[in-house]
Amino acid sequence: MSKPLGDIVEALGGVRHGAADLLVHRLAPLATAGPGELAFVAQARYASQIATTAADVLIVPPALQAQALARGACIVAEDPYLYFARLTQWWRREHEILPAPGVDPLASVHASARLGEGVSIGPFVVVGANAIVARGARIGAHSVVGEHAQIGADTVLGARVTVGDRCAVGARCVLHPGVVIGADGFGFAPHQGEWVKIEQLGAVRIGDEVEIGANTCIDRGALDDTVIEDGVKLDNLIQIGHNVHVGAHTAMAGCVGVAGSAAIGAHCTIGGGAVVLGHLRLADGVHVSAASVVTRSLTKPGHYTGMFPIDDNAVWEKNAASLKQLNRLRERLKAAEQAIGQALQNNPKP
C-alpha cells in the first residue's frame, strides 16, 4: 500500500518538491498524519499546522509553498482539496482488489438477461428476465436486478442493492449497500376511513455518475418516472418520493426527505435532515440548511433556512405570520425611538 511521490505527480499533475522515489504509504488527515503519510492544506487558516504536522508530504496551494518547503516535501496545486479528492480516487484504483469478471455459481441470472463484457455478478445475486447489465458493471452479493431493469457500464452495486423492475441506472454510478431503487411510492386514496392503494406504474431513471448512499430509497413513479439526473450525489438514509425530479449535480446530505412530485433543480445542496414537501419547485442553485423544512417553492437561487418548533397548527400559523412581520416592526420601533429622542432634544424638560 505505497506509491512513490513521482508516480503521484506523474498521474495527477501538480509541481513536485521532493525526491521522486519518496514512498507514500498512506493518505491521512493533516492533524494526525505521520511519517510516510501524505496530507493536504487547502486554506491559509490551516497554515499554522504546516510546521506541526508529522506528514512526510503535503499538498499545498501556491501561497503556502514557501512554508511547506521549509519543512519538507510537498506537491503544489492550485486547488489542494480537489487534488486530494482525485488522489483518493487514483489511490483506490491503484490498490483496490477487484472481483474477477464472471457470474458466481450461487447467483441466479435469467436466461433472457444480457450481460456485457467484463461484468461481475456476486453470490446470491438475482438478475431478472430481460434485464441488461452493461460492460464492466459489478453487482454485489445478495443484490437484485429486476425484470427489464438496466444497469449502465462500469456501475457498481454494493451488497443487498435492489433495482426494481423496469428501472434504469446509468453508467459509472455507485450504489452503496442496502439501496432500494423502485419500491412503490406512497400512494393511497382515502375511502370510508380506509386507504385504497394506487398502483405505482412508473419507474425510476437514474443518470450517469450518480452516487447513492447506504439504505437510501428512491420510489418509482405513480404514472411517470422518478428521475435523478447526471452527477447527483445522495448520502445515506435519504427518502426520495414518487415522481420526484432531481436536477444534475445536486447533492443531499443524510436523512433528507423529499416528498412526492417535488422538482429540485440542478446544482442544489440540501443539508442533513431537511425536508422538502411534495409538489414544490426548487430553482437551480438553491441551498437549503440542515434540518430545514421547505414549505413553499423556492424560485430564486440562494441559501435558505427554515426551522420552527412544532405546535398546534393554528397557533403555529399565527406565530409564523407574526415572525414574518418582526423585521418591519423592528424598523418601525427604531424609527419611533429616534423620533422620541429627537422630540426630547427639541423640547427638553423645564
Side-chain angles (χ1 to χ4, degrees):
M1 292 289 288
S2 62
K3 287 291 178 181
L5 179 60
D7 287 7
I8 293 173
V9 174
E10 183 179 351
L12 301 173
V15 179
R16 172 176 56 83
H17 296 277
D21 60 356
L22 175 62
L23 286 179
V24 174
H25 301 295
R26 179 175 173 266
L27 311 183
L30 182 63
T32 59
E37 297 178 343
L38 180 150
F40 74 98
V41 184
Q43 298 174 345
R45 63 182 176 178
Y46 300 115
S48 62
Q49 296 185 50
I50 291 177
T52 59
T53 182
D56 270 353
V57 183
L58 292 177
I59 306 168
V60 297
L64 298 178
Q65 175 179 320
Q67 289 174 259
L69 282 173
R71 46 98 44 218
C74 65
I75 300 170
V76 179
E78 290 296 327
D79 187 339
Y81 192 50
L82 177 62
Y83 192 101
F84 189 78
R86 289 175 174 160
L87 173 57
T88 61
Q89 296 177 7
W90 179 83
W91 191 270
R92 183 165 194 167
R93 288 195 301 270
E94 290 293 306
H95 294 96
E96 187 176 21
I97 300 174
L98 298 178
V103 178
D104 190 278
L106 297 175
S108 174
V109 178
H110 195 277
S112 63
R114 289 183 281 164
L115 306 183
E117 181 182 356
V119 163
S120 173
I121 305 292
F124 303 106
V125 168
V126 176
V127 180
N130 298 298
I132 299 173
V133 182
R135 169 188 50 81
R138 309 202 312 263
I139 314 297
H142 294 273
S143 291
V144 175
V145 178
E147 295 184 4
H148 296 276
Q150 299 180 32
I151 308 299
D154 299 313
T155 281
V156 177
L157 272 57
R160 296 174 287 99
V161 170
T162 298
V163 178
D165 295 351
R166 297 179 289 105
C167 295
V169 179
R172 300 176 301 283
C173 295
V174 178
L175 278 60
H176 290 276
V179 166
V180 176
I181 305 297
D184 275 2
F186 193 68
F188 298 89
H191 175 68
Q192 297 180 356
E194 298 180 351
W195 298 100
V196 179
K197 183 176 178 61
I198 300 170
E199 292 296 339
Q200 306 293 287
L201 305 179
V204 178
R205 289 185 287 117
I206 295 175
D208 297 337
E209 297 179 349
V210 171
E211 184 154 351
I212 303 174
N215 294 325
T216 284
C217 297
I218 302 176
D219 291 345
R220 66 174 62 246
L223 297 175
D224 293 328
D225 295 341
T226 302
V227 177
I228 310 295
E229 293 188 1
D230 294 349
V232 168
K233 310 301 181 189
L234 303 179
D235 199 359
N236 301 336
L237 295 167
I238 288 174
Q239 165 64 32
I240 304 293
H242 57 184
N243 297 107
V244 167
H245 191 120
V246 179
H249 305 290
T250 281
M252 301 182 193
C255 299
V256 165
V258 182
S261 298
I264 297 173
H267 300 282
C268 296
T269 59
I270 301 180
V275 174
V276 180
L277 299 189
H279 299 274
L280 300 183
R281 300 290 181 268
L282 274 60
D284 295 349
V286 163
H287 305 286
V288 177
S289 295
S292 294
V293 180
V294 181
T295 58
R296 62 180 175 86
S297 292
L298 303 175
T299 59
K300 296 180 180 179
H303 188 179
Y304 296 84
T305 303
M307 295 172 238
F308 205 73
I310 193 168
D311 205 340
D312 175 82
N313 188 70
V315 174
W316 184 92
E317 289 181 348
K318 290 178 182 178
N319 288 336
S322 298
L323 279 174
K324 293 178 69 173
Q325 306 299 320
L326 281 181
N327 189 61
R328 187 166 62 181
L329 291 172
R330 176 176 176 269
E331 295 302 318
R332 288 175 61 186
L333 180 59
K334 286 173 60 178
E337 288 174 339
Q338 291 172 358
I340 292 170
Q342 188 64 45
L344 290 175
Q345 288 181 5
N346 294 338
N347 300 286
K349 292 183 179 180

